[in-house]
Amino acid sequence: MNRNTLLLSFGALALLATSAWSADPSSEAIASELRDKALRGESIAWDFVSELTTRIGPRPAGSPAERAAAEWSARKLKDLGFENVRIESFPMTWWVRGTERVEITAPSPQPVVAAALGGSPPTPAGGIEGEVVIFPTFEDMKAAAPGSLAGKIAMVARPMPATQDGSGYGVAGIARRDGPTEAARRGAIGYVLRSLATGGARFPHAGGARYDGARVAIPSFAVSEPDAQQIERLVKLGEKVRLKLSSTASYVSNATSQNVVADLRGSERPNEVLLLGAHLDSWDLGTGAIDDAAGMAIITGAAKLIAQAPRKPKRTIRVVFYGSEEVSQPGDIPLGGRTYSTVHGSEIASHMLAGESDFGAGRVYSVSLPRGAFASPFGTALTRVLAPLSVVPSSVPPGNGGADIAPLEKLGVPVFVLNQDGTNYFDYHHTPDDTLDKIDPAALSQNVAAWAALVWLAADSEVDFRALRNSDSTAKR
Ligand SMILES: [Zn+2]
């Protein structure tokens, strides 16, 4: 190829790249084109999730790896052209897993595949040993009398069903969060949870337990689904089953976590913010690909596509990577979300809409909007643009929008949810198997397409979502 043909080719390419846009496209036409570009794989989402999970890998809340992920992603956002990129640090306690072992010591000694729950204290050097008492549900354990578990290891064995919307996790989750505290209140020396798992793989599912004061009450572990079944069968055979729990977990009380915040400034009403959230930290057993590098990639990919549109949207689009979502330190709200709503307190009144992506990369099947929004010009355009993606309006309200943006929702910010198919999400969630290969690139692209369309339309809209939220739902807009 000589220099002239090369120039000609570049010219032709440039023409091809811009020809998708008509001279003065409507807002809805831009949303449709953003959707189609994403579906064609023309977003940075895959490269983002691949690079983050490969370069950094696991990034527990408060760890140096989480810090490295924050610095890497801040650089990435700057390189992608985001403005006002900043890292906002806050203090926390970093829980370090250490080494651990769970075994059945009687009647038939054998190893158990298990992982300490996040925040679990270490055992004494020789471990702790006791007879296991199984409860079918968390509520059954709570019904046990004070002192009735003295010297015992309590186990909650409720199985978790796979559901499209992930509601099985919602029901089972309390046994992980509050199980250690409630077991300890009844005298137990240790706590064992049947993993909050679907799929049946012999992996433990990690996850945070609630702090009881400065730490989780007693050494607590999640055992794999097949191991939980084994323990249950032994008990049903009439055996007194003894477990031994060992852990060298530790706490680093002067650690820091951080949120990463970046903007694409709006053209007409830059003070009005549309917030897109995902979380930076992950559990330590896998590389945090589905939870939640995928979410970071989806929102960044969508925002970057919008930045490449023929004009800027009217409102500012803000991407927030929240630190420390996975661990519950004293208090119920994740620290990253709590910190953002405090640090940005004076701006919250101009946050028009917020959404977070924290459910892997399963395809989006429906959208939940704030009250009244479906009937607005934004809602009718969105319904049309999402139809080719097989995304339908949901009659289920968006609730608090998710763990990280819940503090904003509480302060009056309207939220939306792009509901994803989570049927297989809990096969991998919080396990060593949460790795890049579990992400389907086509489904990732479909997510970016839905996010790009929704965020563009909302950012370019005249609709006042805050007024809608506070109005009578039947009021015409
Ligand atoms: Zn998550």
Side-chain angles (χ1 to χ4, degrees), residues 260-293:
V260 179
V261 183
D263 293 338
L264 293 172
R265 226 175 124 74
S267 59
E268 288 182 21
R269 299 194 296 281
N271 292 337
E272 295 185 4
V273 173
L274 246 104
L275 185 143
L276 328 184
H279 68 85
L280 195 60
D281 60 319
S282 77
W283 281 106
D284 52 345
L285 303 175
T287 61
I290 63 166
D291 188 13
D292 184 25

Side-chain angles (χ1 to χ4, degrees), residues 235 271 345 347 360 375 389 421 428 442:
V235 169
N271 292 337
E347 301 164 46
L389 299 176
D421 184 348
Y428 311 118

Side-chain angles (χ1 to χ4, degrees), residues 17-35 37 267 303-314 456 460:
T18 53
S19 62
W21 307 108
S22 62
D24 185 17
S26 71
S27 194
E28 187 171 331
I30 292 176
S32 300
E33 184 53 27
L34 292 172
R35 173 199 66 203
K37 281 168 81 85
S267 59
K304 176 61 182 169
L305 279 175
I306 291 170
Q308 294 165 312
R311 61 179 173 81
K312 285 183 171 187
K314 293 166 184 158
W456 165 269
D460 203 45

Side-chain angles (χ1 to χ4, degrees), residues 279 291-292 325-326 358 425:
H279 68 85
D291 188 13
D292 184 25
E325 188 269 353
E326 293 286 3
D358 186 14
Y425 183 67

